[in-house]
Amino acid sequence: MKHLRFSTARQVIDAFPNLRGEFSGNLELDPFAFIDSLIAQGSVRKAMAFCAFVLPRREAVQWLCDALRQQAPRPSGADAALLKLAEEWLKAPMEATRRAALDGGMEDPLKGACAWAALAAGWSGGNLSPNTEQPVPPPQHLTGHAVNVGLTLLVASLPLAKQPDKMEELVGDAVALLRRGSA
């Protein structure tokens, strides 16, 4: 049986100091109850952001990739290539695929949602430096940040009236991933 990495919302925020000041309410709630409380407060945007950090890195990247694959129209051209880089890392999470995703995301001049998917995979671990003798690990928060930005760009591409429903759908998808991981 797998368990959630965090038993309270406070533990998530403590693990990612960049989140301090972003969330209020009862931080002693378990992540599921905290997500529910954010939605009940009308803060579905914050619930989506919280999910980007509470999910393990690999699942967070999967969540973003799945959301991008389900969008209409489907990514094409450079965006499809960037999404494929992230998905290649998901299939084979090793240094070569991680580095390819990182390089692809960094080189993309537009930095759309698919570039952020590639960056999320690229920032999941490994070495950020091209110098293998002096490795630079990515800060822990970068994958969650990239997933959050990618999802925000995806939602922002929709008509304003559809955005709240899409965010709720995305949060539901993240909670399903979390529940699978804690079952």
Side-chain angles (χ1 to χ4, degrees):
M1 173 192 249
K2 286 183 172 179
H3 296 284
L4 288 176
R5 298 183 298 164
F6 308 104
S7 59
T8 67
R10 181 174 311 284
Q11 288 177 347
V12 177
I13 293 165
D14 288 346
F16 302 105
N18 59 304
L19 297 179
R20 287 197 183 113
E22 293 294 318
F23 299 99
S24 58
N26 184 354
L27 300 179
E28 301 311 318
L29 292 173
D30 71 66
F32 297 113
F34 188 71
I35 291 165
D36 288 344
S37 75
L38 289 170
I39 292 170
Q41 296 168 21
S43 298
V44 69
R45 168 74 191 92
K46 285 190 175 193
M48 187 176 76
F50 183 79
C51 289
F53 290 91
V54 74
L55 280 165
R57 281 179 238 156
R58 192 157 185 264
E59 285 82 353
V61 174
Q62 183 70 59
W63 178 40
L64 175 55
C65 289
D66 289 348
L68 291 167
R69 280 280 171 220
Q70 293 166 7
Q71 80 177 12
R74 288 189 172 216
S76 61
D79 282 340
L82 288 164
L83 182 54
K84 185 175 181 182
L85 288 171
E87 291 172 333
E88 288 299 319
W89 173 79
L90 287 166
K91 290 177 195 166
M94 54 190 158
E95 186 60 15
T97 55
R98 186 204 63 78
R99 189 72 206 191
L102 176 63
D103 291 345
M106 294 298 287
E107 292 167 6
D108 183 66
L110 300 178
K111 298 293 187 279
C114 292
W116 286 98
L119 289 170
W123 288 333
S124 65
N127 178 16
L128 295 182
S129 171
N131 181 351
T132 57
E133 293 190 23
Q134 294 181 352
V136 176
Q140 294 291 318
H141 73 280
L142 285 183
T143 296
H145 172 71
V147 168
N148 186 34
V149 172
L151 290 169
T152 300
L153 290 171
L154 171 64
V155 169
S157 72
L158 299 173
L160 195 58
K162 293 186 177 193
Q163 291 178 9
D165 288 342
K166 183 62 175 181
M167 286 186 286
E168 281 192 39
E169 176 188 323
L170 289 167
V171 169
D173 293 343
V175 167
L177 282 170
L178 279 170
R179 289 202 187 282
R180 264 193 303 234
S182 67

